[in-house]
């Protein structure tokens, strides 16, 4: 079994490490520093940590002001609050003036588990992807999280990084780097390719192994950079395998699956199956129970891949 690490732990550790050498880094939190792991930075640099209380709109506005003054603010809270409650401030105060603010949203998706629908963020990528100029990232594991945070600190411009509460299997090693608009081709396939992000990348690798036992060649692309998306790699996968399955722990509306479908439809139409939350609220439960209920399993992704392959065959026979 793959090693399991919490992405938020690596966020807290990485931003604290960056703070040692970059005195312009400041961290803001909406009274959730123990959960978002910004408590690590707060302990090391109390003079550069600001607990804004349960006031996400104020936190984002303050972060924008600090950025205008030359600081590099990392603002953190749960994804449902960062993307929902503070959306207008993200658009007006961060996106529109292209302020150098890094929004690190934890507890995204359904693996927040027992906290239930009120704390699950299944729409945050769609909301943030629609804001012009905002880079949107969903790392596959803890090491890619650390790489994305390091990149964000060096980049001048607004960034949204979506993390989770639960631990994810490790996909990459500690030397992983991150670049916007670049995906990772983890496995080539000639019958179908999974384009995945977040937890779904490791599950797609399991699904590809299952399909291989049936003689189906399935590729896997990790697409942490949802915006900008890697046009070249997605279109290459579409050309090489002729069918795609986009997989994400997010609504099928407006997230990675939508980005992949839009890109393919405009350039090289091939069958695209989207695996994600199906326009519904998901009940409370243990993370593994919710993943099973949503079909976010190797068996579920393999079924989607078989449907994509069948659609490809039907299109070829016309």
């Amino acid at each position: 079994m793959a090693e399991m690490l919490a992405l938020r732990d690596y966020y807290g550790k990485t931003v604290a490490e960056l703070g040692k050498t970059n005195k312009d880094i400041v961290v803001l939190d909406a009274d959730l520093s123990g959960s978002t792991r910004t408590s690590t930075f707060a302990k090391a640099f109390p003079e550069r940590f600001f607990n804004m209380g349960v006031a996400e709109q104020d936190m984002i506005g303050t972060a924008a002001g600090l950025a205008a003054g030359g600081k590099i603010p990392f603002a953190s809270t749960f994804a449902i609050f960062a993307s929902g409650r503070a959306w207008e401030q993200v658009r007006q105060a961060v996106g529109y003036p292209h302020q150098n603010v890094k929004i690190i949203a934890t507890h995204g998706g359904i693996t927040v588990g027992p906290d239930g629908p009120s704390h699950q963020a299944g729409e945050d990528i769609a909301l943030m992807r629609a804001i012009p100029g905002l880079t949107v990232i969903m790392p596959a594991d803890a090491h890619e999280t650390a790489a994305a945070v390091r990149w964000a600190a060096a980049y001048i411009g607004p960034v949204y990084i979506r993390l989770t509460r639960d631990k994810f299997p490790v996909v990459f090693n500690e030397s992983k780097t991150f670049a916007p608009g670049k995906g990772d081709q983890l496995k080539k396939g000639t019958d179908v390719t999974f384009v995945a992000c977040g937890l779904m990348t490791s599950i797609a690798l399991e699904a590809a192994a299952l399909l291989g036992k049936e003689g189906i060649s399935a590729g896997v692309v990790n697409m942490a950079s949802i915006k900008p998306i890697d046009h070249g790699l997605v279109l290459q996968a579409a050309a090489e395998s002729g069918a795609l399955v986009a997989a994400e722990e997010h609504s099928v509306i407006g997230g990675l699956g939508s980005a992949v479908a839009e890109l393919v439809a405009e350039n090289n139409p091939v069958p695209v199956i989207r695996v994600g939350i199906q326009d519904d609220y998901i009940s409370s439960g243990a993370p593994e129970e919710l993943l099973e209920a949503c079909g976010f399993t190797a068996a579920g992704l393999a079924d989607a891949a078989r449907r994509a392959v069948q659609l490809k065959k039907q299109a070829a026979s016309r």
Side-chain angles (χ1 to χ4, degrees):
M1 183 177 179
E3 182 183 13
M4 305 283 283
L5 294 174
L7 282 61
R8 55 183 173 143
D9 287 348
Y10 275 64
Y11 161 49
K13 184 169 69 171
T14 302
V15 76
E17 288 173 356
L18 292 168
K20 294 177 185 175
T21 55
N22 191 333
K23 305 303 181 187
D24 285 331
I25 290 178
V26 295
V27 172
L28 300 85
D29 201 289
D31 208 25
L32 289 167
S33 62
S35 297
T36 63
R37 301 298 195 254
T38 60
S39 54
T40 305
F41 186 95
K43 186 176 180 181
F45 309 105
E47 75 283 4
R48 287 191 274 144
F49 174 80
F50 305 94
N51 182 358
M52 304 300 295
V54 186
E56 289 79 7
Q57 298 100 324
D58 189 21
M59 178 180 71
I60 295 298
T62 301
L66 287 165
K71 301 299 181 185
I72 306 172
F74 281 73
S76 294
T77 184
F78 290 2
I80 187 67
F81 306 131
S83 63
R85 187 175 293 171
W87 187 86
E88 183 184 357
Q89 284 70 31
V90 175
R91 182 189 184 278
Q92 306 286 51
V94 175
Y96 180 44
H98 203 72
Q99 291 291 5
N100 191 26
V101 174
K102 322 303 172 183
I103 302 166
I104 316 297
T106 65
H107 294 63
I110 60 172
T111 47
V112 68
D115 286 351
S118 65
H119 283 58
Q120 295 167 353
E123 312 88 358
D124 58 319
I125 298 299
L127 287 164
M128 292 298 157
R129 185 171 161 250
I131 295 178
L134 186 64
T135 299
V136 180
I137 303 166
M138 194 190 305
D141 72 358
H143 295 311
E144 188 167 45
T145 297
V149 170
R150 288 193 291 268
W151 169 81
Y155 168 72
I156 300 175
V159 177
Y160 180 81
I161 300 179
R162 194 254 221 158
L163 307 178
T164 55
R165 179 186 187 279
D166 211 22
K167 294 181 178 180
F168 282 4
V170 172
V171 175
F172 300 103
N173 59 37
E174 293 182 357
S175 64
K176 179 75 175 80
T177 59
F178 175 85
K182 293 294 180 184
D184 306 285
Q185 187 167 43
L186 303 179
K187 184 177 183 302
K188 280 202 169 191
T190 55
D191 294 320
V192 63
T193 299
F194 294 103
V195 182
C197 61
L199 173 64
M200 303 306 279
T201 294
S202 59
I203 297 175
L205 288 168
E206 294 179 30
L210 281 179
L211 292 165
K213 295 176 182 175
E214 302 173 16
I216 298 175
S217 172
V220 178
V221 166
N222 174 55
M223 193 59 69
S225 180
I226 297 173
K227 182 188 174 188
I229 196 168
D230 190 335
H231 287 221
L233 186 52
V234 172
L235 294 178
Q236 177 186 321
E240 291 177 349
S241 63
L244 302 177
V245 174
E248 58 193 320
E249 190 193 348
H250 179 271
S251 171
V252 294
I253 301 170
L256 174 65
S258 294
V260 169
E262 291 159 10
L263 177 60
V264 170
E266 291 176 349
N267 293 278
N268 179 22
V270 300
V272 177
I273 298 290
R274 293 172 298 151
V275 175
I277 301 168
Q278 298 296 321
D279 196 23
D280 201 357
Y281 299 98
I282 308 302
S283 64
S284 175
E288 58 271 20
E289 294 173 339
L290 301 182
L291 292 171
E292 179 76 30
C294 291
F296 296 170
T297 62
L301 262 61
D303 284 343
R306 294 186 195 99
R307 294 202 304 274
V309 171
Q310 187 61 33
L311 287 172
K312 181 173 71 170
K313 290 178 179 176
Q314 290 173 0
S317 65
R318 288 174 189 151

